[in-house]
Amino acid sequence: MKKLLLLVLLFPLTVSAQHEFGYHATWYFSYGGIGEFGYKKVSHIGDTTMLGMHWLEFEVTGLRAIKTGPNPNDVVVLDSSKFYSPIFLATRNDSVFRLWDNNTPYLLYDFSAQLGDEWQFAPDDSFAGCDSLPIVTVNKIGVDTIDGHPMDFMHVLFPMDTVYYGSTPFYQPMSNATLNPKVYPQFGGVLYVSLFQAEPNTCDGRIVDWTYHTLSCFSNDSLSISLTNQPCDFVPFISVDEYEAVNFEVYPNPTNDLISLKTDEEVKNVEVYSLEGQKLLETKNTESIQLPSSSGMYLIIVWMEDGKKAMSKVIKE
């Protein structure tokens, strides 16, 4: 018989002898949304008691880069350090609870679930026309290798049905919220809209632009993994006024293939980035620099021998 774990309002819980989910843990997420992107760091900073329960408290900090307009040539500036509302997680045996609206615990993950088991991971709500309870069913259990480490996972399914947007049918989840379908007991999910919360889901045809958080790095007392080839807290864009004035030019711009640099300064090295912040090239060459094969816009950051730096955008046609 399948086991069904429903959302419950919790009575005081005792903490198990094992370390709670997230104990001494730090997550780094890159994120992107309308007009902004950046990274967030989630760190265990202490314990607290609320609603008769023992909770781990997590501080959320980070940086964000903000576009000043919708066009490719609009300036990208780096906002100052951001501090966000704390996150509270509680563990009982293998069940992880999240504090909902700062006053109600709800079950987020059941890491004791086996094949065919179910749990309700968010409060019942008819948001956006969804008429099924937010319940997942475990349909696969396995092991992935992430950054050289074996990571247990379970894959979950949601209630599905055919929904018509106008006259077009779509087969999609029917609950008001979803989880990333692959869940890792060691660190949770690799993708969130709101960190460590269920993702809102629409069933009425509306298109909603969420901010998506993607896991970059995770560490605790016994594990350290990276899912990126960049530093965990990497955001390469800084505001224009943080660049010292340098007589500097990239040409031709736009270009079909190669660019060259013209400056009166002595150049130490040149870096080429995508608009998503990925470093694509680093060279000491200032002539005939080969851009990536894809058309689009790239950021050119030039470091001078005296420590000055300059930035320019270039379009590859």
Side-chain angles (χ1 to χ4, degrees), residues 243-249 263 271 300-304 307-312:
Y243 285 89
E244 299 185 53
V246 176
N247 184 12
F248 162 67
E249 180 184 357
T263 179
E271 299 171 341
I300 312 299
I301 296 181
V302 182
W303 293 85
M304 309 301 175
K308 294 180 182 179
K309 53 186 177 290
M311 179 178 72
S312 179

Side-chain angles (χ1 to χ4, degrees), residues 28-30 39-40 216-218 225-226 228 230-234:
Y28 282 92
F29 294 90
S30 60
Y39 78 89
K40 291 181 183 178
S216 297
C217 302
F218 171 80
I225 59 173
S226 175
T228 178
Q230 302 168 352
C232 297
D233 56 358
F234 179 72

Side-chain angles (χ1 to χ4, degrees), residues 73-129:
N73 288 323
D74 290 324
V75 175
V76 177
V77 297
L78 188 69
D79 205 355
S80 58
S81 294
K82 290 294 175 184
F83 290 84
Y84 304 87
S85 299
I87 292 172
F88 295 94
L89 300 175
T91 302
R92 181 178 63 180
N93 298 324
D94 291 315
S95 297
V96 177
F97 298 85
R98 169 71 196 258
L99 199 60
W100 181 269
D101 291 337
N102 291 327
N103 57 31
T104 304
Y106 76 94
L107 177 63
L108 178 64
Y109 297 131
D110 174 26
F111 292 131
S112 69
Q114 302 299 311
L115 284 176
D117 289 348
E118 301 174 339
W119 78 87
Q120 182 172 330
F121 59 88
D124 184 17
D125 193 348
S126 59
F127 170 74

Side-chain angles (χ1 to χ4, degrees), residues 51-262:
L51 305 174
M53 294 175 59
H54 175 265
W55 296 87
L56 300 187
E57 181 178 358
F58 297 86
E59 179 185 62
V60 184
T61 59
L63 293 173
R64 64 177 181 178
I66 304 173
K67 289 196 66 176
T68 59
N71 299 313
N73 288 323
D74 290 324
V75 175
V76 177
V77 297
L78 188 69
D79 205 355
S80 58
S81 294
K82 290 294 175 184
F83 290 84
Y84 304 87
S85 299
I87 292 172
F88 295 94
L89 300 175
T91 302
R92 181 178 63 180
N93 298 324
D94 291 315
S95 297
V96 177
F97 298 85
R98 169 71 196 258
L99 199 60
W100 181 269
D101 291 337
N102 291 327
N103 57 31
T104 304
Y106 76 94
L107 177 63
L108 178 64
Y109 297 131
D110 174 26
F111 292 131
S112 69
Q114 302 299 311
L115 284 176
D117 289 348
E118 301 174 339
W119 78 87
Q120 182 172 330
F121 59 88
D124 184 17
D125 193 348
S126 59
F127 170 74
C130 297
D131 58 9
S132 295
L133 291 174
I135 293 174
V136 291
T137 303
V138 180
N139 75 316
K140 183 178 180 180
I141 293 177
V143 179
D144 282 340
T145 299
I146 300 178
D147 198 20
H149 299 275
M151 299 280 108
D152 296 332
F153 75 84
M154 60 175 129
H155 192 277
V156 297
L157 296 178
F158 303 89
M160 303 285 287
D161 204 350
T162 299
V163 180
Y164 284 87
Y165 298 159
S167 60
T168 304
F170 290 88
Y171 189 64
Q172 67 168 55
M174 282 298 293
S175 60
N176 63 289
T178 59
L179 291 176
N180 187 275
K182 187 174 279 190
V183 181
Y184 296 88
Q186 292 91 337
F187 55 79
V190 297
L191 182 68
Y192 296 95
V193 174
S194 298
L195 294 176
F196 299 100
Q197 289 190 182
E199 173 184 340
N201 187 48
T202 62
C203 297
D204 60 1
R206 284 186 290 170
I207 298 176
V208 182
D209 293 300
W210 309 112
T211 297
Y212 284 94
H213 299 78
T214 303
L215 182 67
S216 297
C217 302
F218 171 80
S219 63
N220 58 19
D221 290 340
S222 59
L223 176 67
S224 179
I225 59 173
S226 175
L227 286 76
T228 178
N229 59 2
Q230 302 168 352
C232 297
D233 56 358
F234 179 72
V235 177
F237 309 107
I238 64 176
S239 58
V240 174
D241 60 8
E242 291 185 69
Y243 285 89
E244 299 185 53
V246 176
N247 184 12
F248 162 67
E249 180 184 357
V250 176
Y251 66 94
N253 190 9
T255 180
N256 291 322
D257 195 19
L258 303 173
I259 59 169
S260 298
L261 307 181
K262 181 179 180 181

